[in-house]
Amino acid sequence: MSEQTQARAQRRVVVVGAGMAGVQTAVALREQGFAGTVTIIGAEPHQPYDRPPLSKAVLLGKAEGSAFDVDFEALGIELLLGREVSGVRPEAHELDTEAGPVPYDVLVLATGAEPIRLPGTEGVPGVHLLRTLDDAERLRPVLARQHDIVVVGAGWIGAEFATAAREAGCAVTVVEAADRPLAGALPAEVAAPMSSWYADAGAVLRTHARVERVEPGAVVLDDGSRVPAGAVVVGIGARPATAWLAGSGIELGAHREVVADERLRTSVPDVYAVGDCASFPSGRYGERLLVHHWDNALQGPRTVAADILGETPTVYDPVPYFWSEQFGRFVQYAGHHASADTTLWRGEPSGPAWTVCWLRENRLVALLAVGRPRDLAQGRRLIDAGTVLDPELLVDPARPLKAATA
């Protein structure tokens, strides 16, 4: 082993953030043979856990928690939990925490995103967010008591929470400022069929509706109407949790995310960023992507670990992927549709199963599959390969997607 390789193997890697991205980075380092010190610092006191079950099994009391199945002790990964990090001084290679400075040789930023709060509701009783295990624990008895619930925001998390609340027997009203659900994520013609899912599940969807204020037992909308509310759940989006990086010299982007390069390195030496808190340049899509989804937090750490170990550099340019379970439907999305020049449908959107395909120059760039997981699996591979497709064959829902090649 060369001196340089030995020195690399003995470095101290500190990961800030104990969610999926942080934990997977630590695990990937060990799996790839890193022999130095690995420390994860997490703001929450809980054993590191996975977030998707929070809006499903944990919320409905079907599971107590969702701790990662990782033996940190056996892997030699140190956990510093319940510890807030307040800043970083790259020139000194030190983090500032409430318990004193923590030195590092390599730093990985994996702080994720934090929910956007509804203005004027700070500290108002009965107003909830759903981001952490503690949030889910606070909401569980609310659902069990079958309160009237108002969900603010008809995005992915709002739809998932509304689904769980209906399953628990609550009366649910979802208020959305835009004219449709998922307005920030999908084009109007694609999101429109999803509006009927709310009524089918017995939930009320009110679009063009803004919250004026929250009162005891009610939400008052900007048109003066009052919606009964034993509890209010806010799901109006999330932003990268990067406020603590102010003054560090680490470059942040337009959405306050850490600007990472194609190997997930930041603008500062020896500092990487991965998961929801970071954007990366996509050669595939010709733009910088900020992906707030679980799969990105799972995939990125392998690139970070390989780069820290000094292996042959790998470029991080995944086909983004996520899924959502809402109102009895399994919804999956792969790719990035912003650059598409053609939108094609496989199946009727009024039916239980259909797929939307976005093409650019007859190559698939993204697809949304509702109840068609095979389309998703095949489509993801077609996007990755850049395969030229025949649009006429593509729109036949009986034909496998992989058989629609030109």
Side-chain angles (χ1 to χ4, degrees):
M1 186 185 288
S2 70
E3 283 185 26
Q4 186 180 13
T5 306
Q6 201 161 8
R8 273 182 176 278
Q10 295 306 318
R11 287 175 303 169
R12 297 165 297 184
V13 175
V14 177
V15 181
V16 183
M20 172 62 82
V23 167
Q24 287 298 325
T25 299
V27 170
L29 281 165
R30 290 298 188 228
E31 286 179 343
Q32 295 181 30
F34 181 75
T37 303
V38 179
T39 302
I40 297 175
I41 304 179
E44 294 181 57
H46 309 291
Q47 193 74 2
Y49 62 88
D50 203 5
R51 291 190 190 278
L54 297 185
S55 60
K56 304 173 185 75
V58 175
L59 192 59
L60 291 169
K62 296 175 181 176
E64 284 305 308
S66 54
F68 291 115
D69 185 18
V70 174
D71 190 335
F72 294 99
E73 191 175 350
L75 289 171
I77 296 169
E78 180 187 25
L79 295 178
L80 301 179
L81 302 177
R83 188 177 295 194
E84 289 277 356
V85 178
S86 56
V88 57
R89 288 171 286 115
E91 68 289 342
H93 277 62
E94 277 190 340
L95 288 166
D96 292 319
T97 80
E98 56 200 352
V102 175
Y104 68 84
D105 293 314
V106 179
L107 177 63
V108 181
L109 309 177
T111 46
E114 54 199 4
I116 297 171
R117 296 178 181 274
L118 189 64
T121 61
E122 196 78 43
V124 175
V127 178
H128 301 263
L129 298 166
L130 180 53
R131 181 67 183 174
T132 67
L133 184 58
D134 289 341
D135 292 337
E137 294 292 354
R138 280 189 288 267
L139 276 164
R140 194 191 292 189
V142 173
L143 295 195
R145 289 195 294 269
Q146 298 189 332
H147 278 297
D148 288 343
I149 291 181
V150 172
V151 180
V152 183
W156 300 112
I157 193 70
E160 289 185 4
F161 180 80
T163 299
R166 285 298 299 139
E167 194 174 322
C170 301
V172 178
T173 301
V174 181
V175 297
E176 168 57 54
D179 61 350
R180 62 187 187 277
L182 295 166
L186 297 173
E189 71 271 18
V190 177
M194 299 175 172
S195 297
S196 64
W197 297 358
Y198 288 77
D200 292 346
V204 176
L205 173 64
R206 295 188 59 168
T207 55
H208 299 287
R210 292 184 180 276
V211 175
E212 185 72 33
R213 63 186 181 277
V214 178
E215 297 181 349
V219 170
V220 181
L221 302 180
D222 58 357
D223 63 0
S225 60
R226 298 167 61 85
V227 184
V232 179
V233 177
V234 179
I236 54 175
R239 59 168 65 97
T242 57
W244 66 282
L245 294 172
S248 68
I250 294 171
E251 183 186 352
L252 301 182
H255 302 283
R256 309 302 296 163
E257 86 282 9
V258 180
V259 174
D261 69 6
E262 72 283 352
R263 287 156 56 186
L264 299 180
R265 301 171 301 182
T266 72
S267 62
V268 167
D270 303 321
V271 181
Y272 295 79
V274 65
D276 289 9
C277 70
S279 65
F280 57 90
S282 170
R284 186 191 314 279
Y285 292 107
E287 62 179 288
R288 182 164 284 278
L289 299 183
L290 175 60
V291 180
H292 280 195
H293 293 298
W294 185 90
D295 191 66
N296 179 49
L298 177 68
Q299 305 291 345
R302 294 169 197 156
T303 296
V304 172
D307 210 75
I308 289 172
L309 280 154
E311 294 174 3
T312 305
T314 55
V315 170
Y316 187 62
D317 195 6
V319 175
Y321 167 72
F322 72 90
W323 80 98
S324 176
E325 295 175 75
Q326 49 184 272
F327 308 118
R329 292 167 174 86
F330 187 41
V331 183
Q332 296 171 283
Y333 178 95
H336 181 63
H337 63 262
S339 66
D341 54 33
T342 306
T343 305
L344 297 174
W345 295 73
R346 288 166 57 80
E348 290 299 322
S350 56
W354 44 274
T355 297
V356 179
C357 298
W358 286 275
L359 305 179
R360 180 173 178 81
E361 296 172 352
N362 287 345
R363 287 179 169 84
L364 196 64
V365 293
L367 81 162
L368 176 85
V370 177
R372 292 181 65 97
R374 189 172 296 173
D375 275 7
L376 191 289
Q378 295 179 9
R380 200 174 175 186
R381 289 192 288 270
L382 291 168
I383 295 169
D384 197 33
T387 307
V388 176
L389 301 174
D390 183 329
E392 288 188 22
L393 300 178
L394 186 70
V395 296
D396 178 3
R399 180 187 295 271
L401 203 55
K402 64 183 180 183
T405 53

